[in-house]
Every structure is written in C-alpha cells, then in structure tokens.
Amino acid sequence: MARKSFVPGAALVAAAALAAGLAGCSGGSSSGAGAADAKSGDAAAATQAAEPGRYQTLPEACGLPSRSTLHAMLPGDGQRLSSADAEKLYAGQADITYDTDRRVGCHWTRETTEGTRHLSLDIQRVVSYDASVSDDDKAQGIYDGKELAAQIPSGGADSGAPTPSPSAKDKGKGTTADGVANAAGKPSGKATAAGKGGKATPGAPSSATGTGADAGGSTAPRVLDGLGDAAFLDDKLATADSGVHRDVTVVFRTSNVIVTLTYDQWSTDKTMLPESQELQDKARSLAGELVDSLSE
C-alpha cells in the first residue's frame, strides 16, 4: 500500500488552529475575571441598597386589642350581653383584603338604646421597590400624606400647655380646632341643637383640668409624642338627622407599618355631645397597646 505524502502546509494550519484555541481559552479566563469584578460590583451595590423595614408580615388584626380594652371601649350603657353575643361582639369582623401580609383590618360595633360606638383598625405594611428608598422612608412619606390630609397643625405636638383662652369676642362660643370644644379646650358634654341637621354648640365652658388626653388637657387635633416613630390625633364632631357623632382618629407609624385607629360614638340625643376627653383617652390607650403588640 502506498504511503500518504506529508503536506507541510496542513501542519501549519493545524498549528495555527491550536494557537487560536489556546488564545480563546486565555480570553475566556480574562472574561471570567471581568465577570468576577462585575459580581463584586453587584455585591457593593446591594450593600448600598436601602435597608428593608422591620416587619415582613402582619398579625391578625382582630386579635390585637385585649378583651378588657374592647370591653371598656364598647360599653353597653347598662345592657348585659349573653355569652354568645359577647363572644361575637368582641371577636370583631375582619376586613377583606387581597394580601394579609400587606394589609389587614378589623372593626367592632356595639349598638345601644342611647347610641352606637364603633372601633376600626387598619394596618398597612409598606414595601419600597426603589433600592435607594428604604421601607421606613417610604412609610414615612405615606404617613406624612395622611397627616397633611388631616390638616394637623404644624408644631401642634403634646406640650403640656393648656389651650389658650379665647378672646372676648369668642367667649361663650366654645370653638376650638374640632369646632365643638369649650373655651378651655375641654367639652362640656352638653349642647343645644341649632335645629334639624344643624350644628351643635356647647353649653357653658369649664376650665381644663390638665389631665386626660395629654398633660395640658388639650383635645385639639395634634401631633402625638412618644407613640411609635410618628403619630397624630384628629378629633371631629358632626351632626346628622339621626343624631350627633364624634370621630377620633389616631394614626401612627412604627418602622414600615402604618396603623389607623378610628373610634367614634353616635348619640341619638343631639343635646348630649360625645366627650372628646373620654374617646381620646381610650383611643390613645389602645394605640399604645398596639405599639407594644407590634414590637413583640
């Protein structure tokens, strides 16, 4: 059998291909180093990203207030409940939400012959999808919007100072921030109606006691100190054909959670105004209880 002849050119081509392959491996190694550098940069960027909020889930809202707190906030005006009715009342009714890790709520209502009391909770967990904005900062922005919408006076935090006395022109009118408190900032609890659907006006003013809602006895809408990371209280009174009602709202933020607590009392007797002091004291007490529960 004849031997195949050796072609030097073919050897040169094979050597060139081998060299190209080795160069490719070398380039791949360099590319790998670049990828490592890129990953290192990604890690640095992640390190610089804003911190997540403290809360990753939410508790069941109806189970947060204690039974004794609910009993105090939903009095029966002397009417006794059966054990079954009491269990149903204090269990509350959960709000329907699409994601219970992002928002939960609950409400309670007790009706009596003298009126109705209603309590509701709305708890929102805020998540920022912007790596440069923390969950807490995002939550603070939402909280600020709520405070602005409520028109809470700036610099109106609890200071221990009593509400300033009204001028001679305003004496006897009893108008403060909520439109119904008496001249000293404390409601008298009695009023005369201006007619069907008219706006109630308070009776004779009384002096502030310096106890209750805050150190100065003020019941005006205001920023609250010492409640979560930020908090405010709003207090409004309104009349309707069916009676008069006062709504007290406390909103506070703790880390990336915002809680809105609304407590209102309806009275079928327009001459009897629901008192700010009592409703605010109970609402603030529950708010403090919620802060403690969420911190556990």
Side-chain angles (χ1 to χ4, degrees):
M1 181 182 294
R3 296 178 179 269
K4 289 185 179 180
S5 60
F6 177 73
V7 182
L12 291 175
V13 171
L18 178 60
L22 292 174
C25 293
S26 176
S29 175
S30 175
S31 175
D37 290 341
K39 290 182 179 180
S40 177
D42 291 343
T47 302
Q48 295 173 2
E51 290 292 327
R54 173 179 180 180
Y55 301 97
Q56 302 301 311
T57 60
L58 289 175
E60 195 276 312
C62 293
L64 288 177
S66 66
R67 179 61 67 92
S68 60
T69 296
L70 292 174
H71 188 273
M73 298 184 79
L74 305 169
D77 298 325
Q79 300 178 14
R80 296 182 63 85
L81 293 172
S82 66
S83 57
D85 288 340
E87 187 63 31
K88 181 178 179 180
L89 169 66
Y90 298 128
Q93 185 172 350
D95 295 342
I96 298 175
T97 60
Y98 294 101
D99 186 350
T100 55
D101 280 337
R102 294 295 299 275
R103 194 162 207 151
V104 294
C106 190
H107 59 273
W108 300 258
T109 301
R110 185 166 191 181
E111 298 180 0
T112 69
T113 56
E114 297 182 7
T116 301
R117 297 213 187 193
H118 178 259
L119 170 66
S120 67
L121 294 179
D122 176 78
I123 306 174
Q124 177 185 4
R125 184 175 70 89
V126 179
V127 177
S128 171
Y129 295 101
D130 184 343
S132 64
V133 179
S134 70
D135 292 347
D136 285 20
D137 288 343
K138 179 73 172 180
Q140 182 64 40
I142 295 175
Y143 166 86
D144 290 341
K146 291 177 178 291
E147 185 177 310
L148 182 63
Q151 299 182 330
I152 303 301
S154 59
D158 292 345
S159 61
T163 303
S165 299
S167 63
K169 181 180 178 180
D170 294 331
K171 282 186 177 180
K173 293 184 179 179
T175 56
T176 63
D178 62 8
V180 295
N182 61 37
K186 183 179 179 182
S188 63
K190 294 185 179 181
T192 57
K196 186 176 181 180
K199 196 169 184 177
T201 56
S206 61
S207 60
T209 61
T211 60
D214 57 54
S218 173
T219 56
R222 60 201 181 278
V223 172
L224 300 176
D225 291 331
L227 186 63
D229 296 314
F232 71 84
L233 179 148
D234 198 10
D235 186 334
K236 298 186 184 303
L237 183 86
T239 57
D241 291 344
S242 58
V244 59
H245 66 96
R246 182 180 294 281
D247 303 322
V248 172
T249 302
V250 175
V251 179
F252 69 86
R253 177 184 74 83
T254 174
S255 186
N256 61 319
V257 164
I258 299 174
V259 177
T260 301
L261 182 166
T262 304
Y263 182 41
D264 62 71
Q265 179 181 358
W266 279 81
S267 174
T268 55
D269 184 355
K270 294 182 182 179
T271 66
M272 296 297 294
L273 297 182
E275 294 190 8
S276 282
Q277 197 78 69
E278 179 205 354
L279 297 182
Q280 289 191 21
D281 285 349
K282 290 181 177 179
R284 289 193 61 181
S285 178
L286 173 57
E289 184 177 317
L290 295 176
V291 170
D292 292 341
S293 296
L294 289 170
S295 298
E296 293 177 352

